[in-house]
Amino acid sequence: MCGIIGYIGEREAQPILLNGLKRLEYRGYDSSGMALLISKKNKISIRKTSGKISALEHLLRKKPLAGMLGIAHSRWATHGIPNQTNAHPHLDCKGEIALVHNGINENFEPLKEGLIKEGHEFRSQTDTEVIIHLIEKLYNNTSLEEAVRKALKLLRGSFAIAVVSTREPDKLIGARLGSPLIVGLGKNENFLASDAPAILEFTKDILFLGENEMAILTKDSCRITDLDGKELNKHPTRISWDIEQAEKQGYKHFMLKEINEQPGITENLVNLFVDKRTNKISFKEQDIPEEKLKSIKNIAVVACGTAYHAGLVGKYILESVSAVPTIVDVSSEFRYRDLLFDQDTLVIAVSQSGETADTLAGVREAKKRGAKVLSICNVLGSTLTRESDGVIYTHAGPEIGVASTKAYTAQLIDFYLLAFYLAGAREVLPQQKIDKYLVELRKIAKVQEEVLKEQEKIAKLARRHSHFGSFLFLGRNINYPSALEGALKLKEISYIPAEGYAAGEMKHGPIALIDEYRAVVCITPASKVYEKMISNIQEIHSRRANIIAIATEGDSTIKELTREVIYIPKVNEFFSPLVVALPLQLLAYHIALKRGCNVDQPRNLAKSVTVE
Ligand code: AGP
């Protein structure tokens, strides 16, 4: 998704904006640009280009911009192809106002028609350009701030914008209506950005703009108003991540770094939420009263992509431990179906970014029906966390790789802990039983570490299979969602068609796919469904497909069926999704690497999907 950064202060803006764009690269983009207000000439200068930020950097090296107020943007095309003309910033007719936009302007066509009739000259095919011409039209005997407000009221869709004007060269204006935008507060300088990594090097004091809020920044002041101009009293949050956490730290890719961070995250999360001495589970930001949670009759999980798969594992966990009937929906379906929810439903929204448009829309629908919303989220202060009644953070640190890895296992940990918490509160499990579960859960970080020690073996196995044209992933019971997640990881970063299936469904269709050209990943740890998985593997074996098994150390049966086995240490089957996820992620990573794919920024994908 598009990335925005804006700067006003006493330093040269170009390097700050360029650096910010690089930090936002993880969001996915196809072109970029920058506009600076050249104060001596009181003029706006622009550099734009298609392709990577390095292309913009190259352009700026040849034709640098000088100035201390500016905006920059990385674009992920929605309207108009990714080229230089369609790249942001966009200018008004007179070249006095520049604007960048993240989101979609849904009613741009009728507005554009009207503006053209009035004589406005459009240069791009974007929906964004309408906004700048509207501001231009309304910027008459009034302030920029007022013109922006009036323009935004005429628009439909989702927006985060940043605007500068030569007529008010001491102002940087930002507004948010549905797409994320934050304000960074510095000393004699202030920032706007789509996400914190863009500005963390310069300030850790962040103000999260809410829906329909505007920031009016000068170098030494920050005013927040609503769209009627009413001043709002908001306080900054001090971010505890440092930029190091968002860097690669010597790993070849963010994804590999993030895979390797999982044991540490698992250990920290359990230590953070579970008292070592008493085993009491408490979540700091979980504000839904225990009395309320005791009385819920059902749970509905809403999420997209990997977070949805975490929700599917969550269903197994919640139903077996807390005995609460649980349904799981992808957000894009959830938001449009007839939801039979009421005050007795707890909606759990799962999202790494907390900005996923469909998930937010689902949450809003559920709230309309009186349900309480608890979110499982990684990004502090994100829209989802602000709109939820309670939050359980995943504390995984910034996840930069587009393919979600560490956020997934952290979401699973949150589900386990929530289930134990609910089981205790609702008195469906005795504390002794919960204590036993926690003993097992505390072992998982070490087991994950053991799996990561075998990375080179997994990499070799992956390379041996990187030529296969299609993959099938099979699992059963609590590892059925693991199969879905394994397939998603592989397809999104290697572009190999991959399907995840419940192994028991094999005979109902997918078995027709099996032949010697197929690679089939069978998730087969020791479990109550082990024998069933072995029967499936035998069927696949006799059809000569290439089987990759993920099995428990010491499993001799599996060796007779395939030589390609990734062994994992023995682990309680209930927690096995936390372990099998790692070899699945590594398999996808090394296959994609071997095929020369851009692992961290796969084609067509964005890290956070802020439009429908
Ligand atoms: C996973 O690897 C993805 N790239 C994608 O499916 C992601 O999980 C999905 O878009 C949801 O994002 P969220 O967790 O930020 O809501």
Short mmCIF file of all heavy atoms in Angstrom, two decimals, residues 486-509:
data_model
loop_
_atom_site.label_atom_id
_atom_site.label_comp_id
_atom_site.label_asym_id
_atom_site.label_seq_id
_atom_site.Cartn_x
_atom_site.Cartn_y
_atom_site.Cartn_z
N GLY A 486 0.93 -23.03 5.26
CA GLY A 486 2.13 -23.46 4.50
C GLY A 486 1.95 -23.16 3.02
O GLY A 486 2.87 -22.68 2.35
N ALA A 487 0.76 -23.46 2.51
CA ALA A 487 0.49 -23.22 1.08
C ALA A 487 0.49 -21.73 0.77
O ALA A 487 1.03 -21.29 -0.25
CB ALA A 487 -0.85 -23.85 0.71
N LEU A 488 -0.11 -20.93 1.66
CA LEU A 488 -0.14 -19.48 1.43
C LEU A 488 1.28 -18.91 1.40
O LEU A 488 1.63 -18.11 0.52
CB LEU A 488 -0.98 -18.78 2.51
CG LEU A 488 -0.98 -17.25 2.46
CD1 LEU A 488 -1.61 -16.72 1.18
CD2 LEU A 488 -1.73 -16.65 3.65
N LYS A 489 2.12 -19.36 2.36
CA LYS A 489 3.50 -18.85 2.40
C LYS A 489 4.20 -19.13 1.08
O LYS A 489 4.83 -18.27 0.50
CB LYS A 489 4.31 -19.51 3.53
CG LYS A 489 4.16 -19.04 4.94
CD LYS A 489 4.56 -17.64 5.24
CE LYS A 489 3.53 -16.64 4.85
NZ LYS A 489 2.52 -16.27 5.79
N LEU A 490 4.04 -20.39 0.61
CA LEU A 490 4.77 -20.76 -0.60
C LEU A 490 4.26 -19.98 -1.80
O LEU A 490 5.04 -19.43 -2.57
CB LEU A 490 4.64 -22.27 -0.86
CG LEU A 490 5.43 -22.77 -2.07
CD1 LEU A 490 6.93 -22.64 -1.82
CD2 LEU A 490 5.08 -24.20 -2.44
N LYS A 491 2.94 -19.91 -1.96
CA LYS A 491 2.45 -19.24 -3.18
C LYS A 491 2.76 -17.75 -3.18
O LYS A 491 3.12 -17.19 -4.20
CB LYS A 491 0.97 -19.54 -3.46
CG LYS A 491 -0.05 -18.86 -2.61
CD LYS A 491 -1.46 -19.34 -2.98
CE LYS A 491 -2.12 -19.94 -1.78
NZ LYS A 491 -3.33 -20.67 -2.03
N GLU A 492 2.67 -17.11 -2.02
CA GLU A 492 2.84 -15.65 -2.06
C GLU A 492 4.28 -15.22 -2.34
O GLU A 492 4.51 -14.18 -2.93
CB GLU A 492 2.27 -14.96 -0.82
CG GLU A 492 3.02 -15.15 0.46
CD GLU A 492 2.41 -14.37 1.61
OE1 GLU A 492 1.93 -13.26 1.41
OE2 GLU A 492 2.44 -14.89 2.74
N ILE A 493 5.26 -16.04 -1.93
CA ILE A 493 6.63 -15.57 -2.18
C ILE A 493 7.34 -16.29 -3.31
O ILE A 493 8.33 -15.79 -3.83
CB ILE A 493 7.50 -15.58 -0.90
CG1 ILE A 493 7.64 -16.98 -0.33
CG2 ILE A 493 6.97 -14.62 0.14
CD1 ILE A 493 8.70 -17.05 0.77
N SER A 494 6.86 -17.49 -3.71
CA SER A 494 7.56 -18.19 -4.80
C SER A 494 6.74 -18.20 -6.08
O SER A 494 7.22 -18.59 -7.13
CB SER A 494 7.85 -19.63 -4.40
OG SER A 494 6.65 -20.38 -4.44
N TYR A 495 5.46 -17.81 -5.98
CA TYR A 495 4.51 -17.78 -7.11
C TYR A 495 4.22 -19.20 -7.64
O TYR A 495 3.71 -19.34 -8.76
CB TYR A 495 5.00 -16.87 -8.25
CG TYR A 495 5.61 -15.57 -7.78
CD1 TYR A 495 6.76 -15.06 -8.38
CD2 TYR A 495 5.05 -14.85 -6.73
CE1 TYR A 495 7.33 -13.86 -7.94
CE2 TYR A 495 5.62 -13.66 -6.29
CZ TYR A 495 6.75 -13.18 -6.89
OH TYR A 495 7.31 -12.01 -6.43
N ILE A 496 4.53 -20.22 -6.86
CA ILE A 496 4.19 -21.60 -7.28
C ILE A 496 2.75 -21.87 -6.81
O ILE A 496 2.44 -21.67 -5.64
CB ILE A 496 5.12 -22.64 -6.62
CG1 ILE A 496 6.58 -22.39 -7.02
CG2 ILE A 496 4.70 -24.07 -6.98
CD1 ILE A 496 7.58 -23.30 -6.31
N PRO A 497 1.89 -22.35 -7.71
CA PRO A 497 0.54 -22.69 -7.26
C PRO A 497 0.61 -23.72 -6.12
O PRO A 497 1.29 -24.74 -6.26
CB PRO A 497 -0.12 -23.29 -8.50
CG PRO A 497 0.68 -22.73 -9.64
CD PRO A 497 2.08 -22.56 -9.14
N ALA A 498 -0.02 -23.40 -5.03
CA ALA A 498 0.02 -24.31 -3.87
C ALA A 498 -1.33 -24.32 -3.20
O ALA A 498 -1.95 -23.26 -3.04
CB ALA A 498 1.09 -23.84 -2.89
N GLU A 499 -1.77 -25.50 -2.84
CA GLU A 499 -3.08 -25.61 -2.19
C GLU A 499 -2.94 -26.25 -0.83
O GLU A 499 -2.16 -27.20 -0.68
CB GLU A 499 -3.99 -26.51 -3.03
CG GLU A 499 -4.88 -25.75 -3.98
CD GLU A 499 -5.98 -26.63 -4.52
OE1 GLU A 499 -5.68 -27.39 -5.45
OE2 GLU A 499 -7.09 -26.56 -3.99
N GLY A 500 -3.69 -25.78 0.12
CA GLY A 500 -3.72 -26.42 1.43
C GLY A 500 -5.03 -27.15 1.57
O GLY A 500 -6.08 -26.64 1.15
N TYR A 501 -4.99 -28.34 2.14
CA TYR A 501 -6.21 -29.14 2.26
C TYR A 501 -6.23 -29.89 3.58
O TYR A 501 -5.18 -30.24 4.12
CB TYR A 501 -6.25 -30.17 1.12
CG TYR A 501 -7.36 -29.88 0.12
CD1 TYR A 501 -7.11 -29.16 -1.05
CD2 TYR A 501 -8.65 -30.32 0.37
CE1 TYR A 501 -8.12 -28.88 -1.95
CE2 TYR A 501 -9.67 -30.04 -0.52
CZ TYR A 501 -9.40 -29.31 -1.68
OH TYR A 501 -10.41 -29.04 -2.55
N ALA A 502 -7.43 -30.17 4.06
CA ALA A 502 -7.57 -31.10 5.17
C ALA A 502 -7.33 -32.49 4.57
O ALA A 502 -7.99 -32.85 3.59
CB ALA A 502 -8.98 -31.00 5.75
N ALA A 503 -6.38 -33.23 5.14
CA ALA A 503 -5.99 -34.49 4.50
C ALA A 503 -7.18 -35.43 4.32
O ALA A 503 -7.23 -36.20 3.35
CB ALA A 503 -4.90 -35.16 5.33
N GLY A 504 -8.14 -35.35 5.22
CA GLY A 504 -9.33 -36.20 5.12
C GLY A 504 -10.18 -35.89 3.89
O GLY A 504 -11.05 -36.67 3.52
N GLU A 505 -9.94 -34.77 3.28
CA GLU A 505 -10.68 -34.37 2.08
C GLU A 505 -10.04 -34.88 0.80
O GLU A 505 -10.59 -34.71 -0.29
CB GLU A 505 -10.75 -32.83 2.01
CG GLU A 505 -11.84 -32.21 2.86
CD GLU A 505 -13.23 -32.41 2.26
OE1 GLU A 505 -13.53 -31.87 1.18
OE2 GLU A 505 -13.99 -33.18 2.89
N MET A 506 -8.87 -35.51 0.94
CA MET A 506 -8.12 -35.98 -0.23
C MET A 506 -8.98 -36.74 -1.23
O MET A 506 -8.96 -36.48 -2.43
CB MET A 506 -7.01 -36.93 0.25
CG MET A 506 -5.72 -36.23 0.52
SD MET A 506 -4.68 -36.35 -0.91
CE MET A 506 -4.31 -38.08 -0.87
N LYS A 507 -9.72 -37.70 -0.68
CA LYS A 507 -10.51 -38.57 -1.57
C LYS A 507 -11.69 -37.84 -2.19
O LYS A 507 -12.36 -38.37 -3.06
CB LYS A 507 -11.02 -39.78 -0.80
CG LYS A 507 -9.92 -40.73 -0.38
CD LYS A 507 -10.53 -42.08 -0.04
CE LYS A 507 -9.49 -43.00 0.56
NZ LYS A 507 -9.16 -42.65 1.95
N HIS A 508 -11.97 -36.67 -1.71
CA HIS A 508 -13.12 -35.91 -2.24
C HIS A 508 -12.70 -34.97 -3.35
O HIS A 508 -13.43 -34.04 -3.67
CB HIS A 508 -13.80 -35.16 -1.09
CG HIS A 508 -14.27 -36.07 -0.01
ND1 HIS A 508 -15.41 -36.82 -0.10
CD2 HIS A 508 -13.69 -36.39 1.17
CE1 HIS A 508 -15.54 -37.55 0.99
NE2 HIS A 508 -14.50 -37.32 1.77
N GLY A 509 -11.55 -35.16 -3.89
CA GLY A 509 -11.13 -34.30 -5.00
C GLY A 509 -9.64 -34.23 -5.24
O GLY A 509 -9.15 -34.67 -6.28
#
